[in-house]
Amino acid sequence: PNGIVPQTWLKYEDVGSGQDGAKDLRNIFSGETIFSFPKPLKLMKYLIDRHKNKNGIILDYFAGTGTTGQAVMELNKEDGGHRQFILVTNNEASGKADAGAEGIAEKVTYPRIKTVITGIRPDGTKYSDGIPANLRYFLCILVPFKGPHTATST
């Protein structure tokens, strides 16, 4: 019906809000707002925790600021799980993360995950005691599409 606003089934106390996601990210980057609409950390932890497998692999193909990675590490610390995560994001330059060739992957996602692991913010100040984990960064190169190709056999 027209005029009815949908309600959420998720409580703010459980999942937070977009404003909380921005606050979480500002805390990592010493108060600087570097991304407009990050996912709330509480929401990602809530969703991941709904699955019983505490040894699963979580794939976030639109990783953006890396909230999913932080949520996985924090859940593992809280419940003794051994979840792993794969974050995939482009390196799009957006907002204050815009630094020429460096964009969100290099200026936000990687530093966020590194901060959570080491407990040290990009500016060198203490964020937390850190969460022991490994971090690997892979760079994929885009192969330009030059039109349809036909495979033939001889």
Side-chain angles (χ1 to χ4, degrees), residues 1-6:
N2 292 332
I4 297 176
V5 177

Side-chain angles (χ1 to χ4, degrees), residues 54-59 68 72 76 81-86:
K54 298 193 184 318
N55 297 309
I57 299 173
I58 292 88
L59 170 65
T68 300
V72 169
N76 284 342
H82 297 284
R83 300 169 194 87
Q84 297 176 9
F85 59 90
I86 300 169

Side-chain angles (χ1 to χ4, degrees), residues 6-148:
Q7 299 292 318
T8 182
W9 294 318
L10 303 175
K11 296 178 183 176
Y12 170 80
E13 298 81 33
D14 295 329
V15 300
S17 70
Q19 293 166 341
D20 293 326
K23 186 172 78 176
D24 295 335
L25 196 58
R26 280 194 308 273
N27 186 23
I28 289 175
F29 289 94
S30 302
E32 185 179 355
T33 300
I34 59 171
F35 193 81
S36 300
F37 300 102
K39 298 172 206 137
L41 182 60
K42 283 176 69 173
L43 171 64
M44 298 313 296
K45 288 173 71 172
Y46 177 87
L47 294 173
I48 294 165
D49 194 44
R50 299 302 70 144
H51 200 283
K52 294 178 184 178
N53 185 357
K54 298 193 184 318
N55 297 309
I57 299 173
I58 292 88
L59 170 65
D60 186 347
Y61 198 74
F62 297 98
T65 64
T67 306
T68 300
Q70 181 176 358
V72 169
M73 289 187 288
E74 288 189 9
L75 277 174
N76 284 342
K77 182 178 179 180
E78 291 168 13
D79 66 15
H82 297 284
R83 300 169 194 87
Q84 297 176 9
F85 59 90
I86 300 169
L87 304 180
V88 180
T89 192
N90 63 16
N91 202 32
E92 177 182 1
S94 170
K96 289 193 178 183
D98 187 359
E102 295 180 355
I104 192 166
E106 295 172 348
K107 289 297 220 178
V108 183
T109 315
Y110 182 84
R112 179 184 196 162
I113 300 303
K114 184 177 177 185
T115 296
V116 173
I117 292 171
T118 65
I120 305 297
R121 292 182 180 97
D123 69 2
T125 60
K126 184 173 181 172
Y127 169 72
S128 70
D129 291 332
I131 299 175
N134 295 311
L135 175 60
R136 294 187 184 126
Y137 178 98
F138 296 95
L139 177 64
C140 299
I141 303 297
L142 179 65
V143 177
F145 179 69
K146 297 182 182 181

